[in-house]
Amino acid sequence: MIRKTLPGKRWLRCLPLLLLAAIPAMAHENTHYVNDSGATAWMLTSTTLVLLMVPGLAMFYGGLVRTKNVLGTMMHSFAALAVIGVLWAILGYALCFGKSSLHGFIGWDRSLMWLNSIDDTIMSANIPEYVYAMFQGKFAIITPAVIAGAVAERITFKGWMAFIALWFLVVYAPLCHWVWAPDGWLFNMGARGLIDFAGGTVVEICSGVSGLTLALYIGARHGYPKTAMPPNNLTMTLIGAGLLWVGWFGFNAGSSVASNLDTARALCMTQVAAAAGALTWVLIESVRDEHATSLGMASGILAGLVAITPAAGVVKVSGAVALGVAASIACYYMIQVKNKLGYDDSLDVFGVHGVAGIVGTILLTFFIRPSWWAEAGHRVVGWGLTQQLKVQTIGVAATIAFTAVGTLIVAFIIDKLIGLRVSESVEKTGLDHDIHGERGYNLTNLN
Amino acid sequence: MKLITAIIKEEMLDEVREALITAGIERITVTRVSGHGRQQEKLVQRGKTIIPNLIPKVQITIACNDEFEDIVIDTILHNARQNGGTVGDGKIFVQDLKECIRIRTGERGGQAI
């Protein structure tokens, strides 16, 4: 008797445990993915590589300003790491990759605040969602950091910190949601959505147009363009450009969110376009100007990298070369136009990132590989170049219009509340000494 | 001929240089120097106050003919003062200049300046 009841009792005792075990299994039925260590390893590497771009950018910009502003300028990039680094984890990810709300204007998912709900999540791409969240977070950091170049040598540190925080919420988060969230309107436009592989619109056009808007809002540097403002350290700028090139492999190849053929394609196109951009810029300078300059080499690298950013997933090698060449030509001539017009986009954020971003996002349509068209034709019969070109143009136009208006509003608010522009005396003394109480090049001062 | 040496604050260089050019003095030499006088600079690093012994300054050297001496001195005086005059604004030294030779032509004296 006793022997007979015991197993039954055991079974009964186990029942609630079995039910408990079944509940999470049911809840995760449609999200039951296994970690792929290869993909995860590459995404961890990519995330790290994109982070490397921030100090790379700091060096690139830091070398281009005058001696008295080198630390202040490098601090702008590092400020983005600090400010957006915190904001992203608290609510940025929820705003960008939560469910569409406010009629698709922005994403929101309360459970994603503090990255709360992803603690156990392995995504459908077979990587932990933590890696994906941090990877995307690096894009949110580098975008405002790029803007700093347009207003270098004259923006207050306090104003800059406040500006990027508000700008991230008002401009970056909605745009990122439109283009990259699975339910964003640009992501779903047409047969296969707006083609923006790694941020031609979200990162490059957005930072370029924001930079231009902010530069026009706060005005030119004292003495510009009459006074010469030569770069203090082009050696550092070249190292920065090199680090950006290296980091861009994570930026583009990581955007495949996998470790496979697509990743290899993106990496290859990135390399080729950057080289084509650099070569073109140096050739233009050799023919048109007296010298091939190191700044030209660095600018060409950037132009090529920016142009391939939206395209790395869809073009083949000839397309990558074409985009790199086109971007360098367009950027070079845009900078001549800037010099004629006389506005002070100090380190050519619009001239390089804005222009090459637009060139890449539009022109990529002409170089898409056949297999992409075949898949698009499967989804919408007769989908062709004209239709996709329209999608790309709408994406670019929407980005430019939204970014310009959003940036203007944010700049106005921060300017009235905190103040964006340093006083004339601080501008003359330099940001390093007056705002940070330090000097960038103490090695030249005996002590 | 006079040799005028002015030691000024780094941040006043742009202003002094622009004013000198406006006044017609376009031939100057500028050097970074360090030194100490009565000015004290305070730096705070990681919460700790540091007083550096040597403060960076800029030295401007100008050789000129006698009739330009007052113009140079007045221009520097009026433009090197920070906030109407603070400790550390610097000094101007004036010396007689024995000779001046232009290397390219070998000219000597006032016309070589």
Side-chain angles (χ1 to χ4, degrees):
Chain A
M1 282 282 284
I2 295 166
R3 268 177 201 171
K4 270 184 186 174
T5 51
L6 264 176
K9 268 186 183 172
R10 255 187 222 153
W11 184 84
L12 275 173
R13 261 185 234 143
C14 290
L15 194 64
L17 279 175
L18 282 170
L19 279 172
L20 268 178
I23 289 165
M26 281 190 287
H28 278 92
E29 208 166 40
N30 49 355
T31 55
H32 190 72
Y33 298 108
V34 191
N35 182 58
D36 173 344
S37 61
T40 302
W42 169 245
M43 290 312 292
L44 287 166
T45 311
S46 288
T47 308
T48 316
L49 283 171
V50 184
L51 182 75
L52 183 66
M53 293 170 71
V54 182
L57 188 73
M59 293 182 86
F60 183 80
Y61 282 170
L64 287 177
V65 294
R66 286 167 290 174
T67 316
K68 58 187 178 182
N69 295 319
V70 56
L71 290 179
T73 303
M74 295 183 84
M75 283 284 271
H76 291 153
S77 299
F78 281 85
L81 272 175
V83 173
I84 312 295
V86 173
L87 260 185
W88 179 261
I90 297 177
L91 47 76
Y93 188 62
L95 285 170
C96 292
F97 292 94
K99 280 190 191 66
S100 273
S101 39
L102 302 176
H103 302 288
F105 177 73
I106 199 167
W108 182 245
D109 185 343
R110 217 187 133 80
S111 71
L112 287 177
M113 276 181 80
W114 304 94
L115 305 179
N116 248 336
S117 59
I118 66 170
D119 206 36
D120 299 311
T121 314
I122 304 290
M123 301 173 76
S124 58
N126 306 103
I127 61 165
E129 195 165 351
Y130 270 134
V131 189
Y132 184 71
M134 283 299 105
F135 180 69
Q136 289 294 344
K138 299 299 186 307
F139 286 65
I141 289 168
I142 191 111
T143 311
V146 170
I147 299 174
V151 289
E153 306 196 287
R154 61 195 184 283
I155 194 163
T156 60
F157 190 59
K158 265 190 253 171
W160 173 248
M161 302 270 271
F163 172 82
I164 55 174
L166 191 60
W167 181 89
F168 165 72
L169 300 174
V170 174
V171 179
Y172 185 85
L175 193 62
C176 177
H177 181 75
W178 299 352
V179 179
W180 283 337
D183 49 357
W185 66 274
L186 284 169
F187 188 85
N188 293 302
M189 183 179 259
R192 298 187 69 182
L194 168 74
I195 302 174
D196 186 358
F197 191 69
T201 54
V202 182
V203 177
E204 307 302 346
I205 300 178
C206 176
S207 60
V209 172
S210 288
L212 180 61
T213 314
L214 195 58
L216 291 174
Y217 182 84
I218 76 170
R221 287 166 290 177
H222 173 81
Y224 180 89
K226 222 182 99 200
T227 315
M229 298 175 180
N232 79 78
N233 191 347
L234 283 170
T235 319
M236 193 157 81
T237 298
L238 274 181
I239 299 172
L243 288 178
L244 282 168
W245 192 340
V246 170
W248 227 290
F249 287 127
F251 197 81
N252 281 3
S255 289
S256 60
V257 198
S259 183
N260 56 22
L261 182 60
D262 289 333
T263 321
R265 283 171 170 167
L267 184 133
C268 171
M269 303 321 151
T270 304
Q271 166 65 18
V272 173
L279 184 61
T280 308
W281 199 297
V282 169
L283 283 178
I284 296 175
E285 283 191 341
S286 312
V287 174
R288 201 177 165 277
D289 307 342
E290 274 175 59
H291 308 286
T293 64
S294 61
L295 178 58
M297 178 69 90
S299 310
I301 292 171
L302 267 191
L305 287 169
V306 169
I308 199 65
T309 296
V314 295
V315 301
K316 294 174 74 175
V317 169
S318 53
V321 172
L323 288 179
V325 171
S328 265
I329 295 172
C331 294
Y332 181 89
Y333 283 100
M334 184 62 215
I335 292 171
Q336 314 314 309
V337 170
K338 178 200 85 164
N339 293 337
K340 282 228 174 74
L341 295 177
Y343 66 87
D344 189 10
D345 174 4
S346 311
L347 310 181
D348 292 309
V349 173
F350 181 74
V352 174
H353 294 267
V355 171
I358 294 168
V359 166
T361 310
I362 302 281
L363 288 190
L364 70 85
T365 323
F366 299 95
F367 302 103
I368 299 174
R369 67 166 57 85
S371 59
W372 191 95
W373 288 119
E375 169 66 27
H378 254 327
R379 295 193 194 176
V380 178
V381 180
W383 190 260
L385 193 131
T386 335
Q387 288 90 333
Q388 187 60 37
L389 197 60
K390 198 176 148 201
V391 171
Q392 297 301 111
T393 313
I394 291 173
V396 169
T399 306
I400 294 174
F402 175 68
T403 305
V405 174
T407 304
L408 199 60
I409 293 169
V410 173
F412 180 79
I413 293 171
I414 300 297
D415 195 27
K416 295 299 161 211
L417 286 180
I418 297 169
L420 278 173
R421 174 127 195 182
V422 296
S423 68
E424 202 181 311
S425 79
V426 174
E427 206 181 318
K428 281 184 180 159
T429 317
L431 307 180
D432 294 6
H433 192 244
D434 266 25
I435 294 185
H436 303 292
E438 294 170 304
R439 283 191 177 83
Y441 294 103
N442 252 335
L443 71 166
T444 57
N445 297 319
L446 300 166
N447 218 318
Chain B
M1 291 178 292
K2 293 282 187 286
L3 185 67
I4 301 172
T5 310
I7 292 173
I8 61 167
K9 285 188 167 163
E10 291 177 297
E11 50 263 46
M12 307 315 289
L13 176 62
D14 279 352
E15 223 143 314
V16 172
R17 203 175 57 82
E18 281 161 24
L20 282 170
I21 291 170
T22 314
I25 314 291
E26 289 175 336
R27 291 154 200 200
I28 67 171
T29 308
V30 179
T31 351
R32 282 181 177 279
V33 291
S34 297
H36 46 69
R38 283 206 295 141
Q39 184 192 1
Q40 273 210 337
E41 203 180 43
K42 243 204 280 182
L43 294 176
V44 183
Q45 280 178 341
R46 296 184 186 172
K48 190 180 165 196
T49 307
I50 297 162
I51 299 180
N53 340 328
L54 293 166
I55 297 172
K57 295 275 169 191
V58 163
Q59 179 177 310
I60 302 177
T61 313
I62 301 170
C64 65
N65 287 311
D66 291 339
E67 60 267 34
F68 287 100
E69 181 188 343
D70 288 338
I71 302 177
V72 173
I73 293 172
D74 288 346
T75 312
I76 297 175
L77 265 188
H78 289 136
N79 292 284
R81 282 186 189 142
Q82 200 171 33
N83 307 323
T86 41
V87 177
D89 280 345
K91 294 227 165 59
I92 304 174
F93 309 117
V94 184
Q95 292 159 288
D96 284 325
L97 186 60
K98 192 178 156 207
E99 185 61 289
C100 171
I101 307 150
R102 176 170 286 137
I103 292 175
R104 173 166 54 89
T105 56
E107 288 165 275
R108 282 171 183 259
Q111 58 184 357
I113 281 181

